[in-house]
Amino acid sequence: MIDRIKRLWAHHRLLLLGFCVALAALGFFGVRTLSATLYWMDPAHQDQPIAGWMTPRYVARSYQLPPEVLGDALFLVKGDGPRRVSLDVIAAENNLTLDALQTRIDEAAAAWRAQNQPKNE
């Protein structure tokens, strides 16, 4: 095995380096995907009560809502540009409490799920 690697290094150095970089990228993104999948599959992370540190993206994943549905509930304007803003900031900008935001999110989630729930035949 070591002899084969030495031979590849001697004759195909760039190819071996490219393969190692590709293998490292595969490992990195594979572990990242697996950890995210396991995190969001945990029922403890689904429909979490909101906290001030959460971002709209986190809430959208927790409630499994499309961004436009959650954006309407959180008063986010489309085309405003990407903002990493916490729910505390959103609540303060709109003179609301986190409980009021929670109510808006719950209502938006219930409406979206009722509309997009598969019909049992």
Side-chain angles (χ1 to χ4, degrees), residues 49-54 74 86-92 95-106:
I50 65 169
W53 60 266
M54 292 179 177
L74 296 179
S86 68
L87 295 184
D88 274 338
V89 173
I90 292 172
N95 296 325
L96 293 173
T97 63
L98 285 179
D99 290 334
L101 276 184
Q102 179 72 61
T103 302
R104 290 181 60 86
I105 291 168
D106 290 339

Side-chain angles (χ1 to χ4, degrees), residues 22-94:
L23 198 58
L26 176 68
F28 173 77
F29 288 111
V31 167
R32 190 171 166 193
T33 299
L34 182 63
S35 67
T37 300
L38 292 176
Y39 183 85
W40 290 112
M41 285 180 65
D42 183 1
H45 297 122
Q46 296 173 1
D47 291 346
Q48 279 186 310
I50 65 169
W53 60 266
M54 292 179 177
T55 62
R57 182 178 178 190
Y58 185 94
V59 175
R61 287 189 177 192
S62 179
Y63 283 79
Q64 299 174 346
L65 295 174
E68 58 274 2
V69 171
L70 190 63
D72 291 341
L74 296 179
F75 307 103
L76 299 176
V77 178
K78 189 172 184 170
D80 204 13
R83 294 187 340 168
R84 290 186 183 225
V85 61
S86 68
L87 295 184
D88 274 338
V89 173
I90 292 172
E93 286 177 354
N94 295 289

